[in-house]
Amino acid sequence: MAYYAKSKGQRVVDWSVHYGLLACFLFFALFPLFWLFKVAVTPTNLLYSEGIRMWPSETTWANFAQVMTDTDFPQFFINSAIVSGATALISTLIAAAAGYSFSRFQYRGKAMIIVLMLITQMFPLVMLIAPIFRILTPLGLTDSLLGLVVVYTAFNVPFATFLMQSFFDGIPKDLEEAAMIDGNTRFGALVKIIFPLTLPGIAATLGFVFTAAWSELLFALMLVSSPDAVTFPVGLLTFISKFSVDFGQMMAAGFLALIPAAIFFFLIQRYLVQGLTAGAVKG
Amino acid sequence: MTAATDLGAHPANRQGVTSRRFLSRLEPYFYASPAIVLLVTVMMVPLVVGLNYTVRDIRILNPFSGGYVGFAHFEAVWHDQNFHNALFNTFWWTVTSLFFQFFLGLMLALLLNRTFPGRRIIQSLVFLPWAVPAFLSGLNWAWMFNPVISPLPHWLFTFGILSEPTNILSDPDLAMWGPIVANIWFGIPFFAITLLAALQSIPGEIYEAASIDGASRRQQFVSITLPFLAPTIAITLMLRTIWIANFADLIIVMTNGGPADSTQIVSSYIFTQAFRRLDFGYASAIAAVLLVLLLAYAVSIIFIRRSLLRET
């Protein structure tokens, strides 16, 4: 913005305020995560004997090693990866198709479908817990990864559809019309011309859904209980009630839970701002 | 004429034309159908089943339950002191969280809406809390408020905010601030991302023209930035109000509604009723009440927005 009309002194003040405020935000955002990591690498005996220090006098990876070898966490990690990966792929595919139809066609019932999707964003999902549990039980889908994938996919499709629609809206219609005049079917044009252009949008949607599925706790807590199907969030909670004093192992497990979501987030955040700029949030 | 109907115009034979035209008319439904099927079977059907539970005595582990009870659950909700308490807490939790998330998020978006050295990396780092799974944010903040392992209570004591470095989560008068702080931490990036996206869609020439005309930065903010942001602000505030009011994860992880129900919000109360007391009928009735309240809120906001737009 307009800095050119200012004296040098004013600019220095401006920039120090700017960076000062950003430093405050950075501290607030990162300190809790730094502390998580610090406790995870502190040897258990030092955690209590040294009092509260910014960094322990020695560090260890023992907490991580114990989580990986003495607990079911490797299994939980795999379960979560399968559920989140499958949910992300299926949701994005379904949302891309629906988003494409919203973006390119005018048809009877479209407004109603969009309203339906908006309403599902508004009602308390917690009210679906009991009915879904009752419906999935006779189908043998409780205590299974498949059941979680089905539920998470349904929860994520509405927002993913709006996101995909805004990416499609950003691609000129002429492109596929030209391809269709050249003899392609609409589907052919979609696959050959539009799909490659939407890749950033697809990446953003995949990442968004993956992190959402990776974080889900309440439905997982209700729908699964055997170690073969327990996801990371549920595992972390049960682990804490079992070893309620071992902060080091808790923090180590927590830090492991953070890694996949953080990686996906770093990959997608640029596209997310871009996709939202294209129109998803402009009511 | 839409692109879809044009497709049928090519073939020579008439039979082909009609069947192709019919197929191309179906094409948009074909693309949208997986989403519709999924939403209807996994969300709408359970919603209807859940509404049906509100008039039934559904208790898991009780084989004799299942009978019709009419509006007995709703009558019980009306007299339920814990529900009233949870409703008040929901209001307090939602308004406070939203207020801080919004203002801090707007401030962050304005700070990031400039080019400056290190912007890309700073942006990724300040947005990071959004990537932290909600249950982990909850656990992490529960740890942060624990004076045995975290400096936070000691700092609050040093600054005179706490009279002694204790865990605020075990103090009924202060416990709600725990989940609220965690929620603010977690939610600032969302507002910052959406508002930043909106800020970046404002054409730069408008600011240039305004500064040539001698508008101060404050004037530019009030007469250009805010009006441009207004639609985004309205929609994100509305969606986030509903989202935060429904958001039980942080509370369940951090305090489980305690101590002494001081942090119980309606959606965590529903969860407690369904899960710990296994009373699905009563839980569904509370959920239906919450649903009606949230819908009333959404409809009135949309209505107010419409009438404001009509006036201007």
Side-chain angles (χ1 to χ4, degrees), chain B residues 56-80:
Chain B
R56 290 185 181 281
D57 174 31
I58 305 274
R59 276 171 294 157
I60 290 296
L61 301 181
N62 181 353
F64 302 108
S65 68
Y68 178 78
V69 296
F71 289 101
H73 289 316
F74 290 102
E75 221 181 302
V77 173
W78 184 259
H79 295 293
D80 184 347

Side-chain angles (χ1 to χ4, degrees), chain A residues 52-224:
Chain A
I52 289 163
R53 294 169 47 133
M54 279 304 123
W55 195 249
S57 54
E58 54 178 297
T59 58
T60 172
W61 295 101
N63 290 321
F64 287 92
Q66 278 160 10
V67 166
M68 294 311 281
T69 53
D70 302 349
T71 66
D72 283 333
F73 270 82
Q75 182 66 45
F76 299 161
F77 200 89
I78 293 168
N79 292 343
S80 267
I82 293 172
V83 169
S84 310
T87 303
L89 285 174
I90 301 168
S91 305
T92 305
L93 190 68
I94 292 174
Y100 182 73
S101 98
F102 287 173
S103 169
R104 289 302 194 262
F105 299 97
Q106 292 303 324
Y107 51 94
R108 196 181 284 262
K110 175 173 142 181
M112 221 186 76
I113 302 169
I114 292 178
V115 169
L116 176 87
M117 286 198 173
L118 275 177
I119 288 177
T120 61
Q121 294 299 289
M122 288 183 189
F123 66 67
L125 288 181
V126 68
M127 92 176 283
L128 300 183
I129 285 191
I132 284 184
F133 181 75
R134 288 284 286 260
I135 293 167
L136 289 185
T137 307
L139 297 173
L141 286 177
T142 43
D143 219 359
S144 92
L145 298 179
L146 182 63
L148 287 180
V149 171
V150 171
V151 174
Y152 292 175
T153 302
F155 289 176
N156 282 297
V157 155
F159 187 79
T161 300
F162 294 130
L163 207 54
M164 283 307 302
Q165 184 195 348
S166 78
F167 282 108
F168 282 122
D169 284 344
I171 298 170
K173 270 187 176 180
D174 316 0
L175 283 175
E176 69 233 77
E177 275 160 19
M180 272 152 42
I181 289 165
D182 291 345
N184 289 293
T185 59
R186 177 176 281 274
F187 188 73
L190 179 59
V191 173
K192 272 188 266 180
I193 313 291
I194 307 301
F195 176 71
L197 291 173
T198 333
L199 277 178
I202 289 173
T205 312
L206 275 173
F208 189 87
V209 178
F210 184 93
T211 42
W214 186 267
S215 319
E216 208 289 330
L217 171 71
L218 298 192
F219 278 80
L221 201 53
M222 183 202 59
L223 290 175
V224 299

